[in-house]
Amino acid sequence: MARHGVTAMWLTAGLFQAIAEAAPESLAQLREVWTGGDIVPADAVRRVRSACPRLTVVDGYGPTETTTFATSHRIAAAAADRLDHSIPIGQPMAGSTVYVLDTGLRPVPVGVPGELYVAGAGVARGYLGRPGLTASRFVADPFTRDGAGARMYRTGDVV
């Protein structure tokens, strides 16, 4: 990293956790590290932030069907100490919209669990050769302003 002047890096949650346990100081020259692809343990973030106080850690959430990332959560230095067991998935990234809906595709009130749906330019068209699965996971987006045919991805994640 030093030889090539690397300042930012993407690490899977598993690799981030392994580095946090074995050598968190190895990330000190970075300005920003993104992690995700699975649950990011809060204690791993705390270890890295303790060893690298100037490093910005960002958790990226997004199933493959939404083209890598749909949301992100930037972890402020002071917030790392107040994290529970895992990192929040954060706010939608540019080009993405997220909805928390009940089984009737109605928005749930803040604080009420519901299923996460992702809409926007990064949502795939479906699964190749799997029309039934496509129909169950990629549903019409009743909230869009982009016109007829817009779809959203039903993640299956309860948030």
Side-chain angles (χ1 to χ4, degrees):
M1 288 187 292
R3 182 174 351 126
H4 296 288
V6 175
T7 59
M9 184 176 282
W10 153 248
L11 301 170
T12 64
L15 183 54
F16 180 82
Q17 184 174 1
I19 290 172
E21 291 172 4
E25 69 284 350
S26 68
L27 302 174
Q29 84 169 46
L30 298 174
R31 283 188 235 148
E32 188 167 281
V33 64
W34 281 63
T35 185
D38 201 348
I39 295 171
V40 178
D43 59 334
V45 173
R46 284 191 284 274
R47 278 196 293 277
V48 168
R49 292 304 308 258
S50 177
C52 311
R54 293 188 312 255
L55 178 65
T56 298
V57 178
V58 180
D59 179 37
Y61 167 86
T64 301
E65 294 86 350
T66 64
T67 316
T68 309
F69 292 133
T71 68
S72 66
H73 179 74
R74 191 170 296 274
I75 304 159
D81 292 334
R82 296 188 309 268
L83 294 171
D84 288 330
H85 300 298
S86 61
I87 309 304
I89 65 169
Q91 301 296 316
M93 296 183 69
S96 291
T97 303
V98 295
Y99 306 106
V100 181
L101 307 175
D102 65 16
T103 57
L105 298 182
R106 294 176 300 257
V108 299
V110 173
V112 174
E115 186 172 354
L116 184 67
Y117 288 74
V118 179
V123 174
R125 293 181 182 189
Y127 299 109
L128 182 63
R130 307 279 311 267
L133 184 58
T134 294
S136 71
R137 304 305 283 187
F138 295 87
V139 298
D141 181 351
F143 310 104
T144 188
R145 294 181 185 165
D146 295 336
R151 300 198 297 168
M152 56 187 181
Y153 175 68
R154 181 178 167 221
T155 69
D157 293 335
V158 176
V159 298

